[in-house]
Amino acid sequence: MATEWRKAPQAVIDIAKDIIKQYHPDLAEARIAFVMRSTALRSGGKLVLGKARKVTDEQQVHIPYDFVIWLAADMWHTLTPIQKQALIDHELSHCEWDYSEGASVRGHDVEEFTHIIERYGFWWPGAEPFESAVTQAMLMPVERTGRGSVESIEMPESMMAEAQA
């Protein structure tokens, strides 16, 4: 099935405006478009819930924005309000705006394997701010959805016929 694209709902725009005002005032002058992609991507076996991209000078002839951020519509509806805010904040954190220099995209602060952190902790030079942020986050309550389950059931007769067809 082909990927479908559509405008982001007003709720996305409202969340983004609040987050920009509160955490990313440097983006107040940037032109940012949000779109919804029908399905999430998979990269390296992991779900990609969104992606921020800089609009090139060449593309700006047709697209009057500095950044385009897409969010995965199929996953958006499964996220809690806090997770939605975190996703938008994360994607906005990739966007750098300087009025004289224009738009650029920032990479992640940290890229590390979970098992390396489990074995060695925050071992790399300059890890202290990340370690401090993780420690602070551990003190915050976690909001989880808890809808998943794995169960064994007797298959109803009506489903057995469909399964064998």
Side-chain angles (χ1 to χ4, degrees):
M1 187 167 105
T3 302
E4 295 177 14
W5 299 89
R6 60 183 161 82
K7 286 184 171 184
Q10 188 61 43
V12 169
I13 305 307
D14 293 341
I15 293 168
K17 285 179 178 179
D18 288 344
I19 290 172
I20 289 169
K21 185 175 181 180
Q22 188 170 2
Y23 300 114
H24 302 279
D26 57 308
L27 295 177
E29 297 297 318
R31 300 167 301 166
I32 304 170
F34 281 85
V35 296
M36 301 303 281
R37 176 190 168 95
S38 55
T39 56
L41 286 176
R42 284 204 176 269
S43 178
K46 296 178 184 174
L47 281 176
V48 178
L49 303 180
K51 183 97 175 163
R53 291 212 168 109
K54 175 189 180 287
V55 177
T56 67
D57 293 340
E58 180 181 1
Q59 293 168 330
Q60 285 185 356
V61 170
H62 301 286
I63 304 169
Y65 297 101
D66 300 303
F67 301 98
V68 173
I69 296 174
W70 65 257
L71 304 174
D74 60 336
M75 297 305 296
W76 177 258
H77 300 292
T78 69
L79 301 177
T80 66
I82 293 296
Q83 289 172 321
K84 289 176 180 180
Q85 290 176 10
L87 173 58
I88 292 173
D89 196 0
H90 175 97
E91 295 308 326
L92 289 170
S93 293
H94 283 294
C95 303
E96 288 188 297
W97 173 254
D98 181 280
Y99 192 76
S100 61
E101 296 187 31
S104 61
V105 174
R106 172 188 311 139
H108 295 110
D109 294 336
V110 175
E111 184 173 338
E112 185 54 274
F113 294 101
T114 302
H115 65 265
I116 296 298
I117 293 175
E118 288 171 346
R119 290 179 198 151
Y120 306 103
F122 302 102
W123 63 270
W124 60 93
E128 293 80 13
F130 184 73
E131 182 177 14
S132 176
V134 169
T135 303
Q136 281 295 109
M138 290 173 60
L139 301 174
M140 296 171 55
V142 177
E143 187 177 324
R144 302 199 188 273
T145 54
R147 290 183 38 183
S149 67
V150 178
E151 300 174 21
S152 176
I153 64 167
E154 293 290 329
M155 187 177 283
E157 292 287 330
S158 60
M159 291 179 69
M160 289 175 120
E162 291 175 19
Q164 294 175 0

